[in-house]
Amino acid sequence: MEVTIDKKVPLDAGIERSWALLSDVRAVAACMPGAQITEQLDARRYKGMVVSRVGPAVLKFSGEIEVLSIDPTRREIQLLGKANDQTGSSASMNLTASVVPGDGPGHSTLVGSATMSVGGKLAQFSGRLIGPASDAILVQFSDNFRAAAANQPETETETVAPASPSARPLSATSLLWLMVRRWFKRRFR
């Protein structure tokens, strides 16, 4: 079964800060719910895992991510991920993502297009559960990416008002806790 996803996410961060996040594979993986990079194999390949719930099933995939291309001029990255789980399900994703100017200064837009292929038991769930599950994951990813981009350090080329002491960039640990708190607030309103 194959699913195509096209998404645009407005960001409250300038294009340079958003690109700094998008071009960091580990930082992008940290924004994906249930994803974790476990090892860097070389400059373009990583091992990782994703734990995800699709309907009643909890799936744990292990696999590799390869950076097919990265174009700083166009602020575009292309990734290929392939993974399997212990039940014989398989998944692959070819993702192209870029950052483009947003609605005004200090804003940008994340534009992504992905083709996902699934096989095995996961494919048996068909579109009934995979569509809603991928939509929910994308909403969480978008929120996490938006928060992480807004908290990237300023670049010299961005003209942003001076930050107040409470608006300083967060450490990775603080950002993780912020994302967890936001997730809990949304989940248990």
Side-chain angles (χ1 to χ4, degrees):
M1 176 183 179
E2 192 170 279
V3 178
T4 301
I5 301 168
D6 292 307
K7 199 76 164 169
K8 290 184 179 183
V9 179
L11 305 170
D12 294 327
I15 196 163
E16 295 302 325
R17 292 192 315 173
S18 299
W19 172 243
L21 177 63
L22 182 61
S23 61
D24 181 346
V25 175
R26 287 183 182 276
V28 171
C31 294
M32 182 63 72
Q36 177 183 7
I37 290 183
T38 56
E39 181 181 356
Q40 185 168 351
L41 301 172
D42 58 35
R44 293 192 172 262
R45 294 182 315 129
Y46 301 82
K47 280 191 176 187
M49 58 188 233
V50 176
V51 178
S52 183
R53 177 177 290 279
V54 178
V58 176
L59 305 168
K60 183 177 179 181
F61 284 89
S62 296
E64 285 191 22
I65 299 169
E66 180 180 357
V67 178
L68 299 176
S69 67
I70 188 162
D71 185 346
T73 306
R74 293 177 52 201
R75 295 179 187 92
E76 181 178 272
I77 189 168
Q78 184 178 13
L79 305 172
L80 176 64
K82 294 181 181 182
N84 297 303
D85 76 351
Q86 294 177 346
T87 68
S89 291
S90 63
S92 67
M93 179 178 66
N94 190 332
L95 167 73
T96 301
S98 62
V99 179
V100 297
D103 291 335
H107 296 277
S108 58
T109 302
L110 174 65
V111 179
S113 179
T115 302
M116 295 184 340
S117 298
V118 295
K121 289 186 178 185
L122 181 59
Q124 293 174 359
F125 287 113
S126 185
R128 292 177 301 143
L129 297 176
I130 292 175
S134 65
D135 288 344
I137 289 170
L138 280 174
V139 166
Q140 290 176 9
F141 172 80
S142 298
D143 290 345
N144 295 344
F145 193 94
R146 191 177 289 114
N151 287 302
Q152 284 282 59
E154 287 181 33
T155 64
E156 291 179 20
T157 59
E158 289 181 313
T159 55
V160 179
S164 68
S166 63
R168 285 187 294 243
L170 300 174
S171 69
T173 303
S174 297
L175 180 59
L176 177 63
W177 281 112
L178 175 68
M179 290 187 302
V180 168
R181 270 197 314 267
R182 285 183 181 169
W183 180 82
F184 272 98
K185 283 182 183 176
R186 283 192 313 276
R187 182 100 174 169
F188 300 106
R189 281 186 196 185

